[in-house]
């Protein structure tokens, strides 16, 4: 076992009552990465997650957390390494949101489960991270589904796990809560190196939040890899058995929120070339500026929603010196340039000038978001 | 700020319960029968002096000795039995409610008390011929076996039905069957055996001996202590079985402990006083409302204490309302307890329509 992997499965077979539904599941996850299981209803996503969390016994094969074999770990120590957010709707009697979240301290508290001031601090911080501190004193049964899911996430975070397993965490949520929840998961994965394994129904969101995607189809794993390798129109259509209509993987209809902070890179895009890079930067939580785009460029909406500042000119109008000067200024402030590889022609010649200027000034120019540190 | 308020509330509720316990205890010792005409001060002195058989009353006035006898031989065991058994019933109900995740579960409602009664009846009629000839520990064992038997049957059905109403109906049906069999046995039993069984099966705190009370109290206190030690997993279980397991609770063992403890508790009650209705459902619910929380660490001692207060109060009413005729204790507990069950059903129904 390599130390860099926090979770791995080797030849895992999952199923019920000794009968394997899906066999030979093998994968390894680095600390702080996000794996999403996608696939049609009843394909076995939940079965895999239940086996990983030991709600179900593995039929064959092994799984490891931190070099420890999953089935060897004691209940109490597993609870400190692995936390879950389940699909079950819970209805605790007379418990405040704080009480529910604080229950996550279970593996850390003593014989009677009384909370120390440290436990309370951890709970409050968890509630703060899921943006639910303001409803801490409300009765859990009286808040909305979206708020409940945040509280249950806070409960899981209170366990201070290394691996977080979520079964369809965005079901029943409206679009705003979906975005918020995935943003929180991204933040936890990036800033706290929390490893996330979850199942999602929304493939457009899965593409945007995941580092790895596993396509589960009935009796086997169809694909496993980075979203960029997995997501193409044919794979998705095949996975879900789409016969009419296609899912346009390059233009999912939802975008997550833009990264906070000072822009660290200036993206020179156009002609749709920038979309992938905007999302890659967003995923890595790198704030960026972008330009110069025509407002009718196919990537304009994506760039607009993800960049800190976007320099654009109206459709069918030539790029002007004033916009160029502003873009150049922003590029200098960012200190790095990402060349999305858009062709430079007569109408967008100013983008060529920007790249040339970057080279002349010695500003670091890259072609991929991963090259930015 | 909020935390402080919660602590204050909990201490206030406990203080009120203890106060009520004291007041009702005093009332129970004083009010009721024709024998006691002594002043509260005299009664206090008698309590301090101890059991009249233990001596210490040499040279006392005959009325004082008479009073001492009635207090120590009749009234005190009865009051203490009401207190301890009421606590045991409430706790048994609370554990069953936790187990079934259902606020109206309780030893009487689920037919568990009837099952205990049936087995005690069988022992009484076929083996020992009369209640006085039956060693108390066998009665307790029979009651425990009966409780477990019915619990097993209810579990068998409950696994298939998730809804509160069907669990309730199952319990009532099983309870009715047990009662029917008991009645059948009574019909064909010997006159003198039956009189005993009949009085016993009505439920009463009277005629309880110190020895039996002591034995029961010991078992009950141990079981209650065990239940209190379970308060951490119980709190996790409130979030559901899967979450509890994910936090490190050994769910299988925990469920066995819940059922075992609740059966032991209700068996003790049934063996000592016969089945008593609705205490196990009403008291835990009232306790939660009083504390404004469902934290087991508060509710377990709280509902034990309140169960004692509740049963002492009901016993007081049973003894005095139509004095000198005594009511069966279940008659009184049902009057107070059944409305709580109905209220619970209604509030659940309301929640359902809201969703």
């Amino acid at each position: 076992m390599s130390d860099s992997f926090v979770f791995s499965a080797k030849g895992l077979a999952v199923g019920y009552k000794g009968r394997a539904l899906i066999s030979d599941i093998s994968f390894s996850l680095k600390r702080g990465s996000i794996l999403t299981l996608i696939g049609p209803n009843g394909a076995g996503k939940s079965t895999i997650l239940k086996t990983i969390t030991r709600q179900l016994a593995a039929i064959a094969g092994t799984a490891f957390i931190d070099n420890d074999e999953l089935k060897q770990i004691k209940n109490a120590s597993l609870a400190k390494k692995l936390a879950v957010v389940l699909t079950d709707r819970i209805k605790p009697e007379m418990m405040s949101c704080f009480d529910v979240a604080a229950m996550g301290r279970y593996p850390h508290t003593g014989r009677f489960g009384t909370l120390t001031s440290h436990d309370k601090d951890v709970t409050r911080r968890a509630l703060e991270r899921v943006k639910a501190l303001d409803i801490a004193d409300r009765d859990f049964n009286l808040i909305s589904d979206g708020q409940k899911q945040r509280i249950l996430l806070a409960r899981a975070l209170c366990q201070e796990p290394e691996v977080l397993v979520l079964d369809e965490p965005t079901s029943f949520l409206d679009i705003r809560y979906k975005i918020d929840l995935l943003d929180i998961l991204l933040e936890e994965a990036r800033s706290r190196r929390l490893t996330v394994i979850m199942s999602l129904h929304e493939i457009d969101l899965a593409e945007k939040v995941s580092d790895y995607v596993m396509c589960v189809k009935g009796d086997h794993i169809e694909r496993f890899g980075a979203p960029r390798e997995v997501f193409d129109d044919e794979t998705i259509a095949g996975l879900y058995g789409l016969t009419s209509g296609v899912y346009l993987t390059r233009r999912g209809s939802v975008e997550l929120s833009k990264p906070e902070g000072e822009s660290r890179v200036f993206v020179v895009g156009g002609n749709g070339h920038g979309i992938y890079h905007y999302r890659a930067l967003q995923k890595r939580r790198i704030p960026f500026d972008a330009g110069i785009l025509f407002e009718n460029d196919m990537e304009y909406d994506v760039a607009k929603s993800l960049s800190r500042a976007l320099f654009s000119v109206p459709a069918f109008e030539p790029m002007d010196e004033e916009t160029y000067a502003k873009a150049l200024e922003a590029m200098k402030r960012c200190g790095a340039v990402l060349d999305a590889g858009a062709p430079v022609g007569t109408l967008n010649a100013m983008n060529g000038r920007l790249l040339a200027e970057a080279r002349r000034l010695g500003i670091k120019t890259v072609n991929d978001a991963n090259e930015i540190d | 700020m909020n935390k402080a308020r919660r602590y204050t509330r909990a201490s206030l509720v406990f203080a009120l319960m203890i106060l009520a316990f004291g007041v009702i205890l005093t009332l129970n010792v004083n009010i009721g029968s024709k024998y006691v005409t002594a002043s509260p001060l005299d009664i206090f002195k008698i309590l301090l002096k101890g059991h009249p058989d233990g001596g210490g009353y040499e040279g006392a006035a005959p009325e004082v000795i008479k009073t001492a006898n009635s207090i120590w031989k009749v009234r005190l065991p009865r009051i203490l039995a009401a207190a301890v058994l009421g606590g045991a019933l409430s706790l048994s109900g609370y554990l069953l409610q936790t187990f079934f995740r259902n606020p109206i579960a309780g030893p009487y409602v689920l037919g568990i008390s009837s099952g205990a009664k049936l087995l005690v009846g069988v022992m009484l009629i076929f083996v020992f011929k009369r209640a006085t000839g039956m060693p108390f520990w066998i009665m307790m064992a029979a009651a425990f076996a009966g409780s477990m038997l019915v619990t097993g049957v209810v579990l068998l059905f409950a696994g298939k039905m998730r809804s509160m109403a069907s669990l309730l109906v199952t319990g009532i049906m099983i309870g009715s069957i047990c009662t029917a069999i008991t009645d059948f046995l009574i019909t064909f039993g010997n006159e003198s055996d039956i009189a005993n069984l009949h009085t016993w099966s009505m439920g009463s705190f009277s005629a309880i001996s110190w020895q039996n009370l002591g034995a029961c109290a010991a078992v009950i206190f141990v079981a209650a202590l065990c239940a209190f030690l379970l308060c951490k997993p119980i709190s996790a279980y409130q979030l559901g079985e899967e979450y509890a397991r994910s936090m490190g609770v050994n769910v299988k063992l925990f469920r066995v402990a819940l059922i075992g403890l609740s059966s032991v508790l209700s068996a003790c009650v049934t063996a000592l006083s016969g089945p008593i209705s609705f205490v196990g459902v009403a008291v835990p619910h009232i306790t939660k409302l009083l504390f404004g929380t469902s934290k087991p660490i508060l509710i377990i001692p709280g509902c034990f204490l309140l169960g004692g207060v509740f049963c002492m109060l009901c016993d007081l009413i049973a003894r005095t309302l139509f004095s000198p005729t005594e009511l069966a204790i279940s008659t009184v507990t049902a009057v107070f307890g059944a409305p709580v069950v109905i209220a619970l059903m209604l509030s659940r129904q309301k929640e359902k329509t809201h969703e």
Side-chain angles (χ1 to χ4, degrees), chain A residues 89 99 121 144 209 224 232 242 248 258 260 264 282 285 300-301 310 315 322 346 359 361 370:
Chain A
R89 290 186 156 197
D99 292 340
D121 278 350
S144 74
V209 75
F224 176 83
D232 57 64
L242 295 181
L248 294 175
K258 55 181 77 174
E260 295 295 333
R264 282 157 54 198
Q282 195 280 339
R285 289 263 168 227
Y300 175 78
D301 286 338
L310 174 65
E322 199 194 339
T346 334
R359 272 193 297 280
L361 292 168
N370 284 326

Side-chain angles (χ1 to χ4, degrees), chain B residues 277-326:
Chain B
S277 58
F278 295 112
V279 179
V281 181
V283 173
H285 185 67
I286 298 169
T287 312
K288 282 176 206 161
L289 286 181
L290 285 177
F291 281 106
T293 176
S294 61
K295 284 203 171 88
I297 200 163
L298 290 176
I299 300 302
I300 289 174
C303 87
F304 194 89
L305 195 56
L306 190 66
V309 173
F310 183 79
C311 275
M312 286 200 304
L313 183 66
C314 288
D315 191 43
L316 183 67
I317 295 171
R319 286 194 301 121
T320 55
L321 196 61
F322 296 105
S323 176
T325 310
E326 267 192 30

Side-chain angles (χ1 to χ4, degrees), chain B residues 213-250:
Chain B
L213 176 61
C216 256
V219 175
I220 287 171
F221 281 126
V222 170
L225 193 70
C226 291
F228 189 68
L229 288 174
L230 283 180
C231 71
K232 189 180 171 185
I234 288 176
S235 66
Y237 204 71
Q238 288 174 323
L239 297 191
E241 203 179 311
E242 312 277 275
Y243 275 116
R245 189 178 289 133
S246 84
M247 289 187 276
V249 179
N250 184 338

Side-chain angles (χ1 to χ4, degrees), chain B residues 8-286:
Chain B
T8 324
R9 178 168 181 175
S11 344
L12 192 70
V13 172
F14 271 123
L16 279 176
M17 280 182 186
I18 290 167
L19 185 70
F21 192 90
V23 168
I24 294 172
L25 188 78
T26 317
L27 284 177
N28 258 316
V29 174
N30 274 300
I31 299 179
S33 94
K34 50 207 165 182
Y35 298 121
V36 177
T37 46
S39 69
L41 188 71
D42 288 335
I43 291 172
F44 190 65
K45 276 183 191 159
I46 289 169
L47 286 179
L48 281 184
K49 271 189 182 159
H51 202 287
D53 290 354
Y57 288 86
E58 293 82 5
E63 300 90 70
V64 174
I65 294 178
K66 211 171 171 185
T67 311
N69 268 323
S70 92
I71 286 179
W72 277 98
K73 290 184 182 163
V74 180
R75 224 160 263 187
L76 261 188
R78 180 174 182 150
I79 297 157
L80 293 180
V84 173
L85 298 187
L89 269 178
S90 314
L91 195 52
S92 171
Y94 176 72
L95 296 177
L96 285 171
Q97 286 148 30
T98 306
F99 183 91
F100 286 105
R101 216 181 297 293
N102 189 329
I104 57 158
Y108 190 83
V109 175
L110 293 181
I112 295 170
S113 301
S114 309
K117 177 174 136 185
L118 172 62
L119 243 75
V120 172
V122 167
M123 296 298 280
L124 217 57
I125 289 174
F126 292 109
V127 186
F128 289 97
K129 301 298 179 202
R130 58 171 45 111
T132 45
M134 186 165 168
F136 185 65
W137 68 269
I138 291 192
M139 202 150 154
M140 266 171 83
F144 179 69
S147 302
M148 288 301 278
L149 203 71
V150 171
T151 312
V153 176
V154 171
L155 273 178
L156 215 64
F157 287 109
K160 292 177 184 139
M161 300 177 292
R162 276 278 154 228
S163 95
M164 187 162 73
S166 34
L167 181 67
L168 185 67
V169 171
T170 312
I172 290 171
M173 291 306 139
I174 294 171
S176 305
I177 292 170
C178 290
T179 309
I181 298 174
T182 315
D183 287 348
F184 180 82
L185 293 176
I186 288 175
T187 313
F188 291 97
N190 188 320
E191 235 4 90
S192 64
D193 311 338
I194 301 162
N196 275 322
L197 179 60
H198 197 66
T199 329
W200 174 81
S201 73
M202 295 279 290
S204 168
F205 293 128
S206 66
I208 287 172
S209 77
W210 279 104
Q211 286 91 339
N212 291 355
L213 176 61
C216 256
V219 175
I220 287 171
F221 281 126
V222 170
L225 193 70
C226 291
F228 189 68
L229 288 174
L230 283 180
C231 71
K232 189 180 171 185
I234 288 176
S235 66
Y237 204 71
Q238 288 174 323
L239 297 191
E241 203 179 311
E242 312 277 275
Y243 275 116
R245 189 178 289 133
S246 84
M247 289 187 276
V249 179
N250 184 338
V251 171
K252 236 178 221 165
L253 199 69
F254 172 69
R255 285 168 65 99
V256 169
L258 278 185
I259 282 297
L261 286 176
S262 68
S263 293
V264 165
L265 287 168
S266 70
C268 281
V269 178
T270 311
L272 202 56
S273 70
I276 296 170
S277 58
F278 295 112
V279 179
V281 181
V283 173
H285 185 67
I286 298 169

Side-chain angles (χ1 to χ4, degrees), chain A residues 50 54-55 75-76 78-79 82-88 90-96 99-100 103-114 120 124 137 141 152 155 159, chain B residues 1-3 6-7 103 228-236 238-251 285 288-289 292-295 297 344 348 351-352 355:
Chain A
K50 276 183 184 155
R54 261 196 358 201
Q55 308 272 0
N75 282 349
L78 182 65
L82 188 141
V84 298
V85 175
L86 302 164
T87 44
D88 311 27
I90 62 164
K91 261 189 115 187
E93 218 183 339
M94 287 191 185
M95 282 176 88
S96 70
D99 292 340
V100 173
M103 204 56 82
R105 297 303 296 161
Y106 190 92
H108 302 274
T109 53
R111 187 77 195 80
F112 294 101
T114 39
K120 286 173 189 165
R124 263 191 294 272
D137 290 328
N141 289 335
L152 290 175
R155 189 210 64 79
Q159 273 176 256
Chain B
M1 20 96 238
N2 215 319
K3 207 172 22 169
R6 219 188 254 175
Y7 281 132
F228 189 68
L229 288 174
L230 283 180
C231 71
K232 189 180 171 185
I234 288 176
S235 66
Q238 288 174 323
L239 297 191
E241 203 179 311
E242 312 277 275
Y243 275 116
R245 189 178 289 133
S246 84
M247 289 187 276
V249 179
N250 184 338
V251 171
H285 185 67
K288 282 176 206 161
L289 286 181
T293 176
S294 61
K295 284 203 171 88
I297 200 163
L344 274 172
R348 270 297 173 104
E351 270 174 44
K352 248 183 213 160
E355 267 172 7

